[in-house]
Amino acid sequence: MRNFKNIKALHGITTRNGGVSVGAFASMNTSFFGIDDPKHVYTNIKIALDEIGIKSKTIIATQQVHSNKVLNIDEAFDFRTLKSIDTSNSDLQEYKLFVSPETDGLMTFRDDIVLMTFYADCVPLVYEDELTGLIATVHSGWRGTAHLMAQEVVKYLIGNEMKVEQLRIGIGHCAGICCYEVDDPVVDAFRVNYSNEQLGAFIIPKENGKYMIDLKQANAIALMKQGIALSQIEINPECTICNAVDFHSHRRTGYPRGSMSTFIAKK
Ligand SMILES: [Zn+2]
């Protein structure tokens, strides 16, 4: 489990260690969308929630389609708009588990729900604003990063006339610049929203015509373009591709493989 010093809400991002899954999913796989035994997955989620100390028993997860959609779970939220997952006869049987379709981020001011997003190289972002009581988790792959997905939560706060000076953001383990090689179409997608100077801060051209890209730095720049200070952002330097001991990586193994998850809740 990894977490951020600057985030005080109950939160964590899982690794591939400490769970009960076997084979390609060993041992901590938290995704119930794939072919892993769902009972193992639900046990893994329960292990992660207990380790973080989360007491809330209503979990909302994202479907994740590389969109820029962040769903706000407000007090009047209608849970019937979500897909309900059957966790009976598992270690999550006392929990309610919902999936939000076509959503890549979740935010709330409520203290009775757990927010959950999935990863295997994409960038996990965790948000907390002590002033307003906001918590959020956002999934930002290269597409999301190119489309400034990290800004969506900040834009919501600014759009609702809330201050962002006390917003704290964690950027977690994901594909690192040491390993994440991309080609021209990916770099071209970044040219739309980032200046040449900004691109130079997170993309390194190689002699083979490809590029190494730093998605963590790109997300930090996206946040700073919205007025967030570097001091408000904490970045975990670990790379999911080269650290096979601690992390699942789609780039390294393809599928089948496990997924890691971010969990955040206020209590
Ligand atoms: Zn690496």
Side-chain angles (χ1 to χ4, degrees):
M1 188 80 72
R2 300 290 187 266
N3 50 41
F4 301 102
K5 290 186 209 72
N6 69 345
I7 305 277
K8 291 178 183 142
L10 297 171
H11 76 285
I13 307 178
T14 60
T15 65
R16 66 176 299 176
N17 302 317
V20 299
S21 289
V22 297
F25 302 102
S27 65
M28 177 58 85
N29 169 43
T30 53
S31 173
F32 43 86
F33 295 121
I35 58 169
D36 193 10
D37 182 339
K39 283 205 174 169
H40 287 165
V41 173
Y42 300 144
T43 298
N44 290 339
I45 293 172
K46 180 74 163 65
I47 289 169
L49 293 172
D50 287 350
E51 187 177 336
I52 298 167
I54 290 174
K55 301 279 193 294
S56 309
K57 293 213 161 31
T58 302
I59 307 164
I60 302 175
T62 47
Q63 187 88 48
Q64 294 180 197
V65 291
H66 297 281
S67 73
N68 261 34
K69 186 178 169 197
V70 179
L71 184 68
N72 180 16
I73 313 293
D74 60 16
E75 292 298 334
F77 187 78
D78 183 358
F79 284 79
R80 291 171 300 182
T81 61
L82 304 177
K83 192 165 115 189
S84 180
I85 306 290
D86 179 11
T87 57
S88 55
N89 301 313
S90 81
D91 283 344
L92 280 188
Q93 62 185 355
E94 291 174 14
Y95 290 70
K96 291 195 180 91
L97 177 58
F98 297 96
V99 172
S100 171
E102 296 181 16
T103 301
D104 282 73
L106 298 164
M107 57 177 282
T108 193
F109 298 89
R110 294 172 60 147
D111 61 6
D112 60 343
I113 52 177
V114 187
L115 308 180
M116 177 181 188
T117 44
F118 303 95
Y119 306 89
D121 294 335
C122 290
V123 185
L125 292 119
V126 182
Y127 301 73
E128 176 182 48
D129 183 49
E130 286 189 285
L131 204 62
T132 60
L134 168 108
I135 54 170
T137 172
V138 164
H139 160 260
S140 180
W142 72 260
R143 289 181 191 83
T145 305
H147 292 119
L148 308 173
M149 176 59 166
Q151 294 184 350
E152 294 298 317
V153 171
V154 185
K155 283 182 185 167
Y156 176 90
L157 292 172
I158 293 170
N160 287 276
E161 296 177 355
M162 296 181 222
K163 292 187 166 63
V164 297
E165 286 81 2
Q166 290 189 43
L167 187 63
R168 295 287 179 270
I169 299 147
I171 299 177
H173 48 273
C174 63
I177 192 167
C178 42
C179 297
Y180 196 48
E181 187 183 76
V182 299
D183 48 20
D184 277 309
V186 173
V187 172
D188 287 343
F190 279 85
R191 293 188 201 283
V192 179
N193 290 314
Y194 295 84
S195 70
N196 283 337
E197 189 186 352
Q198 288 163 346
L199 293 173
F202 64 88
I203 294 174
I204 300 173
K206 296 177 69 183
E207 284 179 5
N208 65 0
K210 300 197 177 202
Y211 308 83
M212 302 308 287
I213 185 162
D214 186 341
L215 291 178
K216 295 171 195 179
Q217 190 63 30
N219 278 281
I221 289 169
L223 290 163
M224 288 188 279
K225 281 157 72 77
Q226 274 291 317
I228 301 299
L230 192 55
S231 60
Q232 292 172 260
I233 305 168
E234 180 178 339
I235 300 177
N236 179 344
E238 293 176 289
C239 169
T240 49
I241 299 174
C242 56
N243 185 343
V245 173
D246 290 324
F247 305 121
H248 296 293
S249 165
H250 190 78
R251 175 63 74 98
R252 189 180 66 240
T253 64
Y255 198 82
R257 49 136 182 97
S259 285
M260 303 171 287
S261 285
T262 296
F263 298 93
I264 184 165
K266 288 164 85 168
K267 63 184 183 187

